Amino acid sequence: MAIARLNRQAKRPYGLWAKTTAVTILGLCFIFVWSFFSSSSSTSVTARRESFDDIAEPISGNSRISNFGTQITHENEKSKKKSGSDLEKDDKRVNGSVSVSKSINEHKSEKKNTRVVANKKKLPEKKPKEGNDNKPVESEGEEDSEKEKEGLVVDGKEEALDGEGEEAEGENVLAEAVDQEESEEKKLESDGSESNRGKKRKKIKGPVFDPKMKYNWKLCSTKSKHNYIPCIDYDTSSLRLQSYRHTERTCPKTPVMCLVPLPHDGYEIPIRWPESKVKILYKNVAHPKLAAFVKKHSWIMKSGEYLTFPQNQSEFKGGVLHYLESIEETVPDIEWGKNIRVVLDIGCTDSSFGASLLDKEVLTLSLGLKDDLVDLAQVALERGFPTIVSPFGGRRLPFPSAVFDAIHCGECSIKWHSNGGKHLLEMNRILRPGGYFILSTKHDNIEDEEAMTTLTASICWNILAHKTDDFSEVGVKIYQKPESNDIYGLRRRKNPPLCKENENPDAAWYVPMKTCLHPIPSAIEQHGTEWPEEWPKRLDTVPDWLDDKDKLVADSKHWSSIIEKSYLTGLGIDWANIRNVMDMKAIYGGFAAALAKQNVWVMNVVPVHAPDTLPIIFERGLVGTYHDWCEPFSTYPRSYDLLHADHLFSRLKNRCNQPVWIVVEMDRMLRPGGWTIIRDKVEILGPLEGILKSLNWDIRLTYAQDKEGIICAQKNMWRP
């Protein structure tokens, strides 16, 4: 009845107006409700953005602490006592609880805040858990702004006050360098292509280390046993293969969470430098095939418990000194230790080459190839010579372009002309314009020699010398890379072709080798346009092509002050036992430069997600490599006497799955009795101290000031 009545009313003249009025009212109601919720949401977002730049409440306390965990637990208890309104305020501060300098990040705060708010919408609300850090994950911008602000000099007891002005003077410059690192990291993350130096990785939310986690370590069970190199060796002993090494870098699918065992016959503290140049302990580098190798070569001998290296004995008849002098006489411009400072030695067959050049102030980085089943690269590391292990197949070596003054391949068996000449083109990429390629061979095959001649001519290398030494019977060829692009235009056949303009010559991490020629740098802002100053002047010379020279100067002053007032005297380290050092997160090489007067060499590692500063490090006459610390490093176990990690973990907390395995990798690389210096945030160092203790490391010193701290730990000679 009601429906029929409505139909009749609708048929009346005013029925149309009633319908129109009803629709209008409903539309207005919808607009009102929508605008109400929209304005509410907008207000909330605005409040979060404003509060992000005003993060406050730094961690209190300037005193030394013996256990970072105590301070963290105390903060957790205080946070539990907060009222509901306080927790709500903390939530509005968008994943942060420590101060961010407005002057440092002001120019990019709007972009940063937008990204953080977007991330927060996707995450469910987190409830505080007992015994854990109640604060949500800190924003990435916070990490960056804090990185270079620490200025902490530790003398073992209290903060050194002398020289504070010098550090403060460069603080703003260093902070700008960190901002640059963050923007570069964002750029790399936004582009997932392999042409970048780093792979795109998922961000992992949560604390770096779980303070509640208990660790039960087991020994690795691999075919290579105590010489296990993840990503190069197969990670299982069950494979029945003649070789236990990959042809290319191939990392395990899951992080390596086992400890590499010590050699079967035990391990002793290595012979001190410089005595290690002439003898090392045999059992520290024992290998089944090494004994057979020793019997066939005169430059290495087994004498009781030692491996000895007779002076001036080498693969080169007449001695390595005669070999080096003949090269310098043939090409007078090769002034070892002055004009030539940084050399790459391919193959690591005879480390006497690098040893003799070291006496001439030449830093030779030996490249141990993956098919070196005798493990001669490990022998070189035990002797105290700069060495890195890498496959040399289809991917680029982990170095930037135009950085090596000379490249040497002694007793070379590499077929440089095969596969389109890509291996020689890779040498051309990393060789400095005007740099030298020194090739020594015996009894060259005529066809191979002709193919090599054709290839070197096609890339415009000038052959400066080609002679066979009457005494050593070694044929030596010395080539020079052109210094300008003019000669490339004179080639009749444009093969190999010039690389495309958008091809980055410095991209090296998991980037395949190219069969093209990179143009010679010509612009003043490009590295490699001019030959560096003679050594040692080049160590402190700021390159003309560097955009902001103040950053390099500030970095050098920063580390010079810390090392002089703290590291050398205040940490309890006997530097007479330190030879092989790694800076796991180098920027401009300031840490290595400050140690230049010590009897050490430093492997400067520039993470692939950070700004590309490795060319600057080489320009200063130092050596280094690119690496992604979400993967194992390419070196043997027990390679280094000291590892230095400055704010490494806080930079990796959003990149790596299970960052605890990086500590396991540090345990693998570090020699028993070796030292580790870790500088980072207190909230990271607390759980990290517990992990180091679980590995049976001795914590020699812990120190904290505000929210920054330092751990100095020593790896034990034995495991429980």
Side-chain angles (χ1 to χ4, degrees), residues 101-326:
S101 173
K102 210 168 185 179
S103 62
I104 295 174
N105 294 314
E106 187 175 358
H107 65 285
K108 57 183 177 182
S109 61
E110 185 176 350
K111 290 183 180 178
K112 226 185 270 182
N113 295 336
T114 305
R115 173 175 59 81
V116 174
V117 170
N119 289 344
K120 189 171 181 66
K121 284 183 178 180
K122 296 176 183 178
L123 293 173
E125 186 176 350
K126 295 185 178 180
K127 295 182 180 179
K129 294 183 180 180
E130 187 175 353
N132 200 353
D133 195 345
N134 294 340
K135 302 162 198 162
V137 184
E138 292 178 281
S139 67
E140 195 173 346
E142 177 193 329
E143 297 169 6
D144 302 336
S145 63
E146 292 171 7
K147 156 65 180 71
E148 298 294 353
K149 286 166 54 181
E150 92 267 25
L152 177 65
V153 180
V154 181
D155 63 2
K157 294 183 180 179
E158 57 186 3
E159 183 183 9
L161 298 177
D162 297 334
E164 265 186 357
E166 289 183 4
E167 290 190 26
E169 186 179 342
E171 183 176 338
N172 291 335
V173 181
L174 289 171
E176 289 174 9
V178 177
D179 285 346
Q180 179 190 354
E181 182 174 344
E182 182 197 53
S183 61
E184 179 77 10
E185 184 172 339
K186 287 180 186 175
K187 182 180 177 183
L188 291 172
E189 287 175 352
S190 64
D191 186 356
S193 65
E194 281 201 346
S195 62
N196 284 326
R197 287 167 41 247
K199 291 181 179 179
K200 185 177 180 181
R201 291 186 178 273
K202 261 187 184 178
K203 288 191 174 183
I204 308 299
K205 302 298 179 182
V208 180
F209 305 113
D210 184 355
K212 286 186 174 183
M213 181 68 71
K214 302 295 181 183
Y215 299 97
N216 183 22
W217 305 107
K218 296 181 180 180
L219 296 181
C220 299
S221 176
T222 60
K223 191 171 183 178
S224 49
K225 299 177 182 177
H226 58 274
N227 288 332
Y228 178 44
I229 309 176
C231 301
I232 292 181
D233 297 343
Y234 290 109
D235 57 352
T236 177
S237 59
S238 61
L239 294 174
R240 296 183 178 180
L241 301 171
Q242 289 184 347
S243 174
Y244 56 83
R245 291 189 170 161
H246 296 287
T247 55
E248 291 287 1
R249 180 179 173 87
T250 307
C251 294
K253 294 181 180 179
T254 57
V256 178
M257 297 295 287
C258 60
L259 306 181
V260 175
L262 294 176
H264 180 71
D265 294 331
Y267 185 89
E268 293 185 19
I269 294 178
I271 304 294
R272 282 188 176 189
W273 180 269
E275 190 180 358
S276 63
K277 287 199 292 185
V278 295
K279 73 174 183 179
I280 60 174
L281 288 164
Y282 177 76
K283 65 181 180 180
N284 285 3
V285 294
H287 188 279
K289 295 187 178 182
L290 182 59
F293 181 87
V294 170
K295 293 177 182 179
K296 298 178 182 178
H297 297 80
S298 61
W299 63 271
I300 181 172
M301 301 174 62
K302 190 173 185 302
S303 176
E305 61 178 341
Y306 300 105
L307 278 179
T308 61
F309 308 90
Q311 190 174 8
N312 201 28
Q313 288 293 316
S314 72
E315 289 291 286
F316 312 105
K317 290 182 180 180
V320 67
L321 293 178
H322 171 74
Y323 176 70
L324 293 174
E325 288 169 2
S326 66

Side-chain angles (χ1 to χ4, degrees), residues 428-712:
N428 185 78
R429 182 185 72 86
I430 63 178
L431 187 63
R432 187 181 295 280
Y436 304 93
F437 183 77
I438 305 169
L439 182 66
S440 67
T441 57
K442 282 186 180 181
H443 311 299
D444 268 351
N445 180 289
I446 295 178
E447 293 181 358
D448 290 345
E449 188 170 347
E450 289 179 351
M452 183 67 174
T453 301
T454 303
L455 178 59
T456 53
S458 70
I459 62 176
C460 304
W461 280 12
N462 183 23
I463 183 163
L464 303 179
H466 181 194
K467 71 173 187 175
T468 300
D469 187 81
D470 295 334
F471 186 80
S472 64
E473 299 180 358
V474 173
V476 179
K477 297 177 184 177
I478 303 176
Y479 301 91
Q480 187 176 29
K481 180 180 176 179
E483 299 181 69
S484 71
N485 292 308
D486 297 340
I487 196 169
Y488 291 151
L490 302 177
R491 295 185 301 164
R492 293 181 180 178
R493 296 180 60 189
K494 311 297 182 183
N495 186 31
L498 292 178
C499 298
K500 296 178 181 179
E501 291 184 3
N502 61 353
E503 178 68 42
N504 181 9
D506 294 331
W509 192 247
Y510 284 99
V511 175
M513 292 181 185
K514 311 292 183 181
T515 53
C516 62
L517 276 172
H518 284 286
I520 304 294
S522 56
I524 190 64
E525 66 273 7
Q526 292 179 289
H527 70 87
T529 52
E530 294 183 359
W531 198 272
E533 296 282 351
E534 289 187 354
W535 181 264
K537 188 178 179 181
R538 71 188 279 182
L539 180 66
D540 298 316
T541 301
V542 181
D544 292 334
W545 47 265
L546 185 60
D547 289 337
D548 195 336
K549 299 174 176 57
D550 291 337
K551 293 178 182 179
L552 188 148
V553 174
D555 183 71
S556 297
K557 287 183 178 180
H558 175 77
W559 287 113
S560 178
S561 176
I562 289 176
I563 287 174
E564 180 183 349
K565 299 172 184 176
S566 171
Y567 285 10
L568 294 180
T569 58
L571 300 183
I573 298 173
D574 183 2
W575 285 87
N577 288 328
I578 304 298
R579 172 62 186 168
N580 301 354
V581 179
M582 176 186 284
D583 189 1
M584 299 178 70
K585 185 177 173 292
I587 300 180
Y588 295 108
F591 172 80
L595 289 172
K597 294 181 180 179
Q598 305 299 316
N599 286 325
V600 303
W601 68 271
V602 180
M603 176 61 75
N604 294 278
V605 181
V606 174
V608 295
H609 62 275
D612 186 10
T613 55
L614 193 52
I616 301 170
I617 291 171
F618 275 95
E619 191 80 4
R620 302 184 71 177
L622 307 170
V623 294
T625 181
Y626 295 124
H627 186 64
D628 185 347
W629 282 116
C630 296
E631 300 179 4
F633 190 78
S634 294
T635 192
Y636 284 89
R638 307 171 300 280
S639 293
Y640 289 92
D641 302 303
L642 187 143
L643 301 176
H644 181 253
D646 178 41
H647 288 75
L648 174 70
F649 292 97
S650 57
R651 296 296 300 163
L652 294 178
K653 84 175 201 178
N654 288 330
R655 296 191 76 252
C656 302
N657 187 17
Q658 301 184 37
V660 66
W661 86 264
I662 304 172
V663 186
V664 179
E665 175 64 2
M666 294 172 73
D667 182 87
R668 187 188 71 87
M669 294 191 298
L670 194 64
R671 291 171 173 171
W675 292 79
T676 295
I677 303 173
I678 304 172
R679 301 166 67 90
D680 222 305
K681 297 180 182 180
V682 169
E683 64 188 52
I684 291 176
L685 296 180
L688 182 56
E689 182 181 354
I691 297 172
L692 295 176
K693 287 179 178 178
S694 73
L695 292 168
N696 199 36
W697 287 26
D698 291 329
I699 308 299
R700 298 299 185 183
L701 179 141
T702 59
Y703 185 93
Q705 180 187 19
D706 293 332
K707 42 190 179 297
E708 302 291 337
I710 183 172
I711 289 179
C712 183

